[in-house]
Amino acid sequence: MNSKVRHIIYGIISFVLSFVLFLISFAIVLQSTILNPSYIMDNMNTSNYFVDKRDEIKESLVDLGYASGLDEKFFENVVDEVTIHDNTQAYLNSFYAGEKAKIDTTAFKQKFNSELDSYISKNNLKVANDGSREYLINQAANIYAAALRIPLFATLSVYLVALKNMMPLIIGGLAVLVAILCVIIIFTNSWKHRAVRYICYSTSAAFLTVGIIPAVLLSTGYMSKINIDSRAFYNLFVQSMNNILIALAICSVIFFIVSIGLFFLHKSIIRFLLIVKYRSFILYFHIASGDLVRKKRKSAEIPITVRLLKVNRDCW
């Protein structure tokens, strides 16, 4: 095969391999982050989400309480982080299980009703009718449920659940494709230093393509500039996205380390071939000088040596 044609063919294969490595990196990161409910909960815990969400719900309930004649202090114990945590976790689990994501407000209503009884008894108040009380509790529960819903989850639920179910097959298929491309490169090259070089090209390209996105977004602080009204959702979004970018950066670093290893492996193979070529030259020199020709004129070493010289010439 012509050397130029060979370089073009293996260049295309290396490009395809680098693109598949790029895809499998993103697939693994998505599988371990956005498509994993525990990832969202971990970021909620570390971003102070439940405390911020409690304060936001209290502010909304205080506005409702003003219209009903309830003092602001009444709402101090109505909402707590534990209830918000449990309801949010159940909401996420049902969502990722492919079920209808619904926030259970039963515990909140019971707590609100109990606090309302204590407030009425403590302040010697009279309730006009049970209908107004039930209306107040339902309105408060609607505010609570609306505050716990995560934006865009309802819209993207169908697609994310389908992607979550398909992702193991996608990752497995991409891994098999990577193995096939590597086998093609290795076993179709007679000289393994060429195979190592082409694979090194692929991992180096994957290092650049995977790393450029987190490098730009993290260095510019782009995620922190996004405007989200809810402080709880803002902190959750920024931290979650930054962690995803860090995971991509780690994948990029892994490709960089692999590329360095392949580079030195390529150099070591070249060094070995140079030693073989040097020894072949010394052997040829002795043959040409007649030292070995006179002693082993009829032996099989001469054609073997000539063939070795030809092999070493072709490998370059």
Side-chain angles (χ1 to χ4, degrees), residues 56-103:
E56 291 176 4
I57 294 173
K58 281 184 179 180
E59 291 178 4
S60 299
L61 291 176
V62 166
D63 295 336
L64 177 65
Y66 286 150
S68 303
L70 295 175
D71 189 81
E72 183 176 345
K73 294 181 180 179
F74 165 76
F75 297 98
E76 289 295 327
N77 299 319
V78 170
V79 186
D80 60 88
E81 298 95 308
V82 177
T83 304
I84 295 175
H85 177 279
D86 294 342
N87 291 148
T88 302
Q89 188 168 31
Y91 167 69
L92 289 175
N93 290 338
S94 62
F95 167 77
Y96 281 101
E99 303 171 357
K100 185 177 180 180
K102 184 179 180 181
I103 297 173

Side-chain angles (χ1 to χ4, degrees), residues 91-254:
Y91 167 69
L92 289 175
N93 290 338
S94 62
F95 167 77
Y96 281 101
E99 303 171 357
K100 185 177 180 180
K102 184 179 180 181
I103 297 173
D104 185 10
T105 58
T106 303
F108 172 80
K109 286 183 176 180
Q110 292 175 350
K111 180 71 173 178
F112 192 94
N113 194 38
S114 175
E115 291 294 328
L116 190 58
D117 286 336
S118 300
Y119 181 81
I120 292 173
S121 175
K122 183 178 180 180
N123 293 278
N124 297 319
L125 300 176
K126 293 182 179 181
V127 181
N129 55 69
D130 292 337
S132 61
R133 175 173 179 157
E134 184 178 355
Y135 174 80
L136 175 63
I137 294 174
N138 289 333
Q139 287 295 105
N142 291 336
I143 292 173
Y144 176 81
L148 294 190
R149 292 190 184 94
I150 299 178
L152 299 179
F153 260 42
T155 305
L156 300 177
S157 60
V158 178
Y159 306 103
L160 289 179
V161 171
L163 185 61
K164 176 178 178 292
N165 295 331
M166 294 172 56
M167 191 56 71
L169 294 176
I170 294 174
I171 294 175
L174 291 173
V176 170
L177 185 56
V178 168
I180 291 174
L181 291 172
C182 289
V183 167
I184 291 174
I185 293 175
I186 292 172
F187 288 99
T188 57
N189 276 285
S190 301
W191 306 103
K192 301 311 175 188
H193 69 285
R194 291 176 180 170
V196 172
R197 183 178 62 193
Y198 289 124
I199 296 176
C200 184
Y201 289 160
S202 299
T203 55
S204 300
F207 155 67
L208 294 174
T209 53
V210 174
I212 189 66
I213 297 175
V216 172
L217 295 180
L218 289 174
S219 62
T220 58
Y222 178 80
M223 291 302 169
S224 61
K225 298 176 183 178
I226 295 177
N227 185 22
I228 300 177
D229 293 334
S230 171
R231 176 180 176 82
F233 283 132
Y234 171 80
N235 291 333
L236 173 63
F237 175 80
V238 172
Q239 179 167 306
S240 299
M241 292 305 299
N242 284 339
N243 287 338
I244 291 174
L245 294 175
I246 291 173
L248 288 174
I250 291 173
C251 291
S252 178
V253 171
I254 292 173

Side-chain angles (χ1 to χ4, degrees), residues 32-33 36-50 232 235-244:
S32 59
T33 55
N36 184 4
S38 62
Y39 172 78
I40 304 296
M41 289 300 300
D42 290 342
N43 281 278
M44 285 180 171
N45 289 324
T46 55
S47 66
N48 214 30
Y49 174 85
F50 299 110
N235 291 333
L236 173 63
F237 175 80
V238 172
Q239 179 167 306
S240 299
M241 292 305 299
N242 284 339
N243 287 338
I244 291 174

